[in-house]
């Protein structure tokens, strides 16, 4: 029976095979899968961001449930009047009586709301420059946040870790010495204030070897990771080739091979015609 | 001999698509016909196990899901292994996600373990879900988790969840475990939460991230590392519950052998070609 679950598996198999088809050549199947992936990802991220952050944590803090807010003042009544106007058009986002979750109104959240609107104004060329304010805040905040993180964990603690502990076993001492040589010579390779000749040149060459070993390890791990992902896709393709999934893998593989074959043949004859002309 | 060398040189410039087919077959065949291969835990995987084993029962462990379907084959077996270890030792699990698709992964893993261990939601584990903001979320968890998370993935208010009593920031957790496939992930937990607040943490990450995280492991900032699928298989061996990763290790090993063989072969043909080119140039 062709249920919605079976349709889902057929679609998953189609997309997997379409991506694999790039190994043969860039083709319409691959392009379709690529565009679907980009579109679905963008849509999914937008919806998730909105419903996990913007609606509950921004609107929810600006217009919390009236059950928890003292709405006696005229200002609060006007504030919720604006909310009710939004609620006429977007009931799901602005439910009647405020958004449940926060005990009090936090007017400070008007600032992120305004910065968020500025960000969207990039779409309007005449006032697009306002987006720079929001971007400036993001860049400044990220730089400050990251500076602290890197300074503490990546510089201070990593420098501490290069100290050789001579009370340990000879293996750990040797390991420590190798780490300190690798760190210093690796850093010397990136020292460009002097020409890398003589002792500096020799030491930076040692640094290159350490860097090469590191790149080799990274490459090895990258290959390992990619193979793991390939195993994951193959596992699914094997599972979906069973009768419970109406032999999705076999059918779609056969169809794609035929269509790709015809496409390649057509492409070849078209390029042949162009050469003749 | 010359003819043989010419064949070798010609094979060196073989169409890359044949190599894809051979690598594909080296993965496919062991998956269709599984082979048992011996698995031995590395010191880093053992360190992860020891760190979790040292926790006193009823410890509060924050498990962060920072991966999605694209890296599921590598990380999900680790998630299962880690959750099984934590629940069998009687710890409380607080799940978060720094990636939006991490919610699916956490829900799938927690639903499965809930069945296996007859767990009760809100008592044994809670799923706080995803919040956008990358490192700002980690910083938020470190400073004030209640400002960031007002409800869980099931829509329950944080104040109504009994196991959230007394949980206000990262200092209220005994351990952090990051299941990471990139940014934001392990690095951000080290930099913004665990290092500044001195909370022990460990990680299970994708192979591609290992060289990035290893310096933290060497420096003692992270207690061991489960490195990719082999790391997951090693952990399954340590907790003595063979899972998905163990079954996939044969395919992984065979594919590696084929790739190594191709690298060696490619280098041999490269040097042979260079020698033959030099020789031809000399003859001219």
């Amino acid at each position: 029976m062709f249920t919605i679950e079976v349709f889902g598996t057929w679609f998953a198999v189609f997309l997997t095979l379409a991506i694999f088809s790039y190994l043969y050549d860039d083709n319409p199947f691959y392009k379709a899968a690529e565009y679907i992936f980009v579109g679905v990802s963008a849509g999914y991220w937008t919806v998730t961001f909105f419903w996990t952050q913007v609606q509950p944590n921004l609107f929810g803090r600006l217009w919390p449930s009236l059950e928890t807010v003292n709405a006696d003042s005229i200002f609060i009544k006007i504030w919720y009047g604006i909310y009710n106007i939004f609620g006429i058009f977007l009931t799901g986002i602005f439910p009647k009586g405020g958004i449940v979750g926060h005990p009090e109104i936090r007017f400070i959240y008007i600032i992120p709301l305004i910065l968020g609107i500025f960000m969207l104004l990039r779409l309007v060329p005449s006032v697009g420059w306002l987006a720079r304010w929001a971007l400036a805040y993001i860049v400044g905040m990220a730089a400050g946040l990251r500076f602290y993180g890197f300074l503490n964990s990546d510089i201070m603690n990593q420098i501490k870790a290069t100290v050789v502990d001579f009370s340990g076993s000879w293996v750990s001492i040797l390991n420590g010495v190798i780490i300190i040589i690798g760190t210093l010579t690796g850093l010397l390779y990136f020292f460009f204030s002097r020409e890398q000749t003589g002792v500096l040149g020799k030491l930076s060459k040692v640094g290159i070897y350490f860097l090469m070993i590191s790149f080799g390890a990274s490459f090895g791990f990258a290959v390992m990771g990619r193979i793991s992902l390939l195993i994951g896709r193959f596992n699914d393709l094997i599972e979906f080739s069973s009768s419970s999934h109406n032999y999705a893998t076999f059918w779609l593989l056969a169809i794609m091979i035929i269509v790709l074959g015809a496409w390649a043949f057509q492409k070849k004859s078209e390029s042949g015609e162009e050469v003749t002309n | 001999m010359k003819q043989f060398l010419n064949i070798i040189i010609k094979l060196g410039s073989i169409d890359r698509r044949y190599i894809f087919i051979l690598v594909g077959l080296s993965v496919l065949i062991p998956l269709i016909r599984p082979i048992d291969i011996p698995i031995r835990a590395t010191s880093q995987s053992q360190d992860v196990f020891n760190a979790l084993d040292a926790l006193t029962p009823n410890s509060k462990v924050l498990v962060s899901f920072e991966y999605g379907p694209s890296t599921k084959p590598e990380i999900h077996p680790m998630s299962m292994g880690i959750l099984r270890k934590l629940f069998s030792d009687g710890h409380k699990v607080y799940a978060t996600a720094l990636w939006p698709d991490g919610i699916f992964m956490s829900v799938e893993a927690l639903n499965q373990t809930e069945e296996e261990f007859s767990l009760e939601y809100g008592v044994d584990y809670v799923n706080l879900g995803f919040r956008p903001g990358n490192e700002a979320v980690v910083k938020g968890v470190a400073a004030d988790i209640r400002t960031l998370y007002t409800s869980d993935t099931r829509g329950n208010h944080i104040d109504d969840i009994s196991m959230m009593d007394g949980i206000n920031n990262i200092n209220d957790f005994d351990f952090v475990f990051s299941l990471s496939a990139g940014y934001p992930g392990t690095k951000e937990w080290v930099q913004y939460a665990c290092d500044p607040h001195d909370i022990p943490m460990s990680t299970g990450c994708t192979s591609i991230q290992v060289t990035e995280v290893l310096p933290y492991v060497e420096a003692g900032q992270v207690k061991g590392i489960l490195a990719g699928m082999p790391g997951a298989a090693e952990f399954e061996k340590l907790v003595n519950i063979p899972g998905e990763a163990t079954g996939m290790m044969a395919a992984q090993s065979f594919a590696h052998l084929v790739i190594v063989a191709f690298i060696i072969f490619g280098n041999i043909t490269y040097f042979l070609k260079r020698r033959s080119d030099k020789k031809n140039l000399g003859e001219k």
Side-chain angles (χ1 to χ4, degrees):
Chain A
M1 215 175 122
F2 216 86
T3 58
I4 190 76
E5 283 81 17
V6 174
F7 174 76
T9 55
W10 274 65
F11 195 55
V13 170
F14 167 73
L15 290 176
T16 304
L17 293 174
I19 293 293
F20 279 156
S21 71
Y22 185 74
L23 296 174
Y24 169 70
D25 204 354
D26 197 1
N27 66 75
F29 284 127
Y30 173 76
K31 281 201 170 83
E34 195 182 21
Y35 297 152
I36 290 169
F37 176 72
V38 173
V40 169
S41 299
Y44 175 69
W45 274 64
T46 309
V47 169
T48 310
F49 272 42
F50 186 82
W51 288 105
T52 56
Q53 192 75 323
V54 179
Q55 202 266 352
N57 282 348
L58 180 62
F59 297 151
R61 282 187 167 105
L62 289 170
W63 291 287
S65 172
L66 280 166
E67 285 174 17
T68 57
V69 175
N70 183 6
D72 291 342
S73 80
I74 186 81
F75 177 73
I76 299 293
K77 278 179 183 156
I78 295 169
W79 183 244
Y80 274 88
I82 299 167
Y83 176 85
N84 289 335
I85 293 167
F86 291 148
I88 296 168
F89 304 104
L90 303 158
T91 326
I93 300 169
F94 303 102
K96 209 175 173 188
I99 298 162
V100 180
H102 296 276
E104 56 185 32
I105 304 174
R106 302 279 298 274
F107 285 109
I108 190 81
Y109 281 82
I110 289 175
I111 297 171
L113 176 67
I114 292 169
L115 288 175
I117 293 167
F118 279 6
M119 202 76 154
L120 294 173
L121 287 177
R122 208 177 180 80
L123 300 169
V124 186
S126 57
V127 285
W129 57 273
L130 281 168
R132 287 187 209 146
W133 287 28
L135 280 174
Y137 170 77
I138 291 170
V139 171
M141 187 271 291
L145 199 65
R146 286 188 183 188
F147 175 75
Y148 168 75
F150 273 95
L151 189 70
N152 183 43
S153 302
D154 286 40
I155 300 179
M156 302 309 287
N157 281 328
Q158 287 300 310
I159 290 172
K160 261 194 248 169
T162 57
V163 175
V164 184
D165 177 16
F166 286 102
S167 63
S169 66
W170 71 270
V171 179
S172 71
I173 294 171
L174 184 70
N175 196 31
V177 170
I178 291 170
I179 285 174
I180 204 160
I181 292 171
T183 307
L184 292 175
T185 53
L187 285 171
L188 279 175
Y189 174 70
F190 294 101
F191 182 70
F192 301 120
S193 300
R194 244 188 76 182
E195 199 182 341
Q196 297 204 333
T197 51
V199 179
L200 182 66
K202 278 175 187 154
L203 286 172
S204 71
K205 200 154 197 178
V206 176
I208 293 174
Y209 288 122
F210 274 99
L211 289 172
M212 287 300 164
I213 291 167
S214 153
F215 294 148
S218 295
F219 175 72
F221 277 118
V223 169
M224 193 162 95
R226 298 299 172 240
I227 294 296
S228 302
L229 303 185
L230 183 67
I231 292 169
R233 295 324 306 144
F234 274 10
N235 250 346
D236 282 352
L237 289 179
I238 292 167
E239 190 192 331
F240 298 149
S241 62
S242 65
S243 59
S244 57
H245 297 283
N246 295 346
Y247 309 102
T249 307
F250 295 127
W251 278 109
L252 286 168
L253 185 65
I255 292 166
M256 283 176 84
I257 288 172
I258 292 165
V259 175
L260 274 178
W263 172 79
F265 183 74
Q266 194 192 6
K267 204 174 135 189
K268 208 173 177 182
S269 51
E270 272 173 13
S271 62
E273 275 171 25
E274 271 174 29
V275 170
T276 323
N277 291 337
Chain B
M1 185 67 184
K2 204 180 169 185
Q3 227 172 0
F4 174 71
L5 288 177
N6 281 340
I7 293 168
I8 298 280
I9 290 169
K10 260 190 183 167
L11 279 174
S13 52
I14 192 174
D15 192 325
R16 64 197 166 96
R17 282 173 282 204
Y18 291 110
I19 300 172
F20 295 153
I21 290 170
L22 285 173
V23 172
L25 286 174
S26 70
V27 172
L28 195 61
I29 293 167
L31 287 177
I32 296 169
R33 288 200 158 272
I35 308 153
D36 278 339
I37 59 158
I39 294 163
R40 204 176 56 195
T42 57
S43 62
Q44 280 122 359
S45 301
Q46 187 69 52
D47 287 346
V48 175
F49 181 82
N50 293 346
L52 294 176
D53 215 36
L55 292 171
T56 50
N58 233 15
S59 290
K60 290 162 181 157
V61 183
L62 189 145
V63 181
S64 186
F65 291 76
E66 295 123 23
Y67 67 98
S70 61
T71 44
K72 195 180 170 191
E74 271 195 289
I75 312 283
H76 205 67
M78 288 178 204
S79 309
M80 295 310 300
I82 293 296
L83 290 176
R84 281 173 182 143
K85 170 75 184 152
L86 292 173
F87 288 130
S88 62
D89 289 353
H91 302 306
K92 306 278 179 202
V93 171
Y94 298 78
T96 59
L98 295 182
W99 289 29
D101 28 10
I103 303 175
F104 298 129
M105 302 295 112
S106 63
V107 168
E108 193 181 322
L110 288 165
N111 282 351
Q112 198 176 327
T113 42
E114 187 185 89
E115 269 178 37
E116 287 174 20
F117 293 90
S118 307
L119 305 170
E120 194 181 334
Y121 186 82
V123 176
D124 300 305
Y125 78 95
V126 64
N127 194 352
L128 297 171
F130 164 74
R131 287 291 176 275
N134 306 331
E135 53 268 66
V137 175
V138 180
K139 194 91 177 117
V141 170
D144 182 6
I145 198 167
R146 283 170 184 274
T147 308
L148 198 68
Y149 288 98
T150 47
S151 59
D152 65 0
T153 49
R154 299 186 181 193
N156 303 312
H157 199 267
I158 288 294
D159 296 334
D160 302 333
I161 302 166
S162 63
M163 66 183 283
M164 285 302 290
D165 290 345
I167 300 287
N168 296 307
N169 56 43
I170 195 81
N171 294 313
D172 299 316
F173 293 104
D174 300 298
F175 201 86
V176 172
F177 200 96
S178 162
L179 294 155
S180 166
Y183 170 80
T186 302
K187 226 176 155 165
E188 284 63 40
W189 281 108
V190 174
Q191 289 176 340
Y192 304 108
C194 296
D195 255 6
H197 295 269
D198 204 19
I199 302 294
M201 76 164 283
S202 195
T203 180
C205 63
T206 49
S207 308
I208 208 156
Q209 261 192 295
V210 173
T211 46
E212 198 180 84
V213 179
L214 264 182
Y216 295 130
V217 179
E218 289 294 323
Q221 292 160 279
V222 174
K223 314 275 176 222
I225 180 174
L226 298 180
M229 194 181 279
E234 287 163 22
F235 195 79
E236 284 173 359
K237 170 98 180 158
L238 286 167
V239 294
N240 215 12
I241 308 171
E244 233 182 320
T246 309
M248 294 181 198
M249 277 313 290
Q252 180 101 42
S253 305
F254 275 103
H256 285 187
L257 282 176
V258 170
I259 290 167
V260 168
F262 272 119
I263 290 171
I264 294 169
F265 185 72
N267 275 281
I268 290 170
T269 55
Y270 169 75
F271 284 112
L272 285 176
K273 192 172 183 310
R274 199 167 71 165
R275 204 175 68 171
S276 127
D277 286 350
K278 267 186 191 169
K279 219 173 177 181
N280 289 343
L281 220 72
E283 278 171 14
K284 277 180 187 173

